[in-house]
Amino acid sequence: MALPAPPPARLFAELLPAATPALAGRDDPPAPSGREVHVSGSAELSAAPDRARVSLRLGSRKGAAGEARSSVARRLEYIAQSARQRGVPEENMTVTEDFSRVENTYQMEAEVCIIFSDFGKMQNVCNLLIEKLGTSVTINPPHFYHTPEALDTLRRQVCVAAVGNTRRKAQEVCRLFGQSLGKPLLIREEETKEWGGHIDSHLSNSPDSLTLQERIQNATAYASCRVFAVFEIKGKENRRNKLL
């Protein structure tokens, strides 16, 4: 029985002689010392969501229009006051109201959307409203998400981490041959990927039954980056630096 062919070897470092002017390509990086090390490196990072949006619904149906309005208004004021006392800015709260006539009664409905950057405060506010308002308010599960600034930070961090890993790999290769790593001649970002978190199917079958931590995990963002770099090889590694 014939054995399967071995996989092709992957070159991750290469020591090159100086390119002659006749052979050097127009896009080839300069090689002051005539020797280079070519390496690739990657990194993967994650970022938990930095915002949560909580939606609260409340309503009242009365025979008199004023009674329906005032019943909802009192609870709206209590919700806003509770959120402000716990450090939620006014601009992070949005109220939508709907007033209608149903048969011989008046119906007032309202929805409050609150944006939280502190998830501990979010839990405190929601627990308080459930305790004080009971079934007169419906609090939907929080929706976790990332601000554009948070995603941009993740992209920068994973790229920098990949470059750092690539440089460390080049240093290790040079030390293996008793050489000293020089300055970078080329750094190229080759591939970036982004994806969201997920919950294993055996943990929960219904999105509404997810725990708070499962929702955060499900909203966590992941990013990976692979870079290619060319570094100059300066020469023999300094014995003193090697000892350090």
Side-chain angles (χ1 to χ4, degrees):
M1 180 176 178
L3 296 176
R10 181 180 178 185
L11 183 66
F12 71 93
E14 182 178 8
L15 305 181
L16 298 178
T20 61
L23 298 178
R26 183 175 59 185
D27 297 330
D28 290 342
S33 66
R35 298 187 302 166
E36 304 169 352
V37 55
H38 294 200
V39 291
S40 62
S42 61
E44 179 180 315
L45 297 176
S46 63
D50 61 327
R51 292 291 187 276
R53 181 172 64 250
V54 177
S55 174
L56 305 92
R57 295 179 179 273
L58 56 155
S60 177
R61 182 183 293 186
K62 302 287 184 179
E67 293 179 0
R69 289 181 181 275
S70 61
S71 175
V72 172
R74 287 193 302 268
R75 281 173 284 165
L76 286 176
E77 178 57 31
Y78 183 80
I79 292 171
Q81 181 181 0
S82 300
R84 285 194 301 266
Q85 289 176 346
R86 283 152 185 82
V88 178
E90 192 75 32
E91 58 269 21
N92 284 11
M93 292 182 281
T94 304
V95 179
T96 304
E97 298 179 354
D98 180 64
F99 185 73
S100 60
R101 184 176 176 85
V102 180
E103 297 178 350
N104 295 324
T105 62
Y106 294 92
Q107 180 171 289
M108 180 70 180
E109 294 180 326
E111 180 182 15
V112 184
C113 288
I114 307 177
I115 304 298
F116 293 92
S117 58
D118 187 321
F119 300 159
K121 290 180 179 179
M122 176 193 70
Q123 289 182 287
N124 291 337
V125 171
C126 291
N127 291 340
L128 175 67
L129 296 178
I130 291 174
E131 177 185 352
K132 299 298 183 181
L133 299 180
T135 58
S136 67
V137 62
T138 300
I139 302 178
N140 295 322
H143 170 70
F144 295 98
Y145 65 98
H146 294 79
T147 58
E149 294 79 11
L151 291 177
D152 287 342
T153 299
L154 175 62
R155 296 182 185 112
R156 290 195 302 270
Q157 288 176 340
V158 74
C159 181
V160 171
V163 172
N165 291 339
T166 304
R167 184 177 184 276
R168 284 188 288 272
K169 181 189 288 186
Q171 285 179 322
E172 292 177 6
V173 171
C174 287
R175 287 172 182 171
L176 182 65
F177 295 100
Q179 304 295 307
S180 178
L181 186 67
K183 63 184 179 180
L185 304 175
L186 171 70
I187 299 176
R188 181 174 65 236
E189 186 179 62
E190 293 195 319
E191 181 184 58
T192 58
K193 294 181 179 179
E194 297 179 16
W195 65 96
H198 66 279
I199 296 295
D200 292 338
S201 58
H202 72 276
L203 293 178
S204 176
N205 294 322
S206 172
D208 293 335
S209 63
L210 296 178
T211 67
L212 189 66
Q213 289 303 319
E214 287 173 345
R215 291 179 182 278
I216 293 176
Q217 179 185 344
N218 208 32
T220 297
Y222 296 82
S224 66
C225 179
R226 187 177 75 245
V227 301
F228 171 79
V230 178
F231 293 90
E232 174 192 0
I233 300 177
K234 294 174 64 176
K236 292 291 184 179
E237 185 177 16
N238 188 292
R239 183 178 299 273
R240 180 180 177 185
N241 291 339
K242 186 175 182 180
L243 294 176
L244 295 177

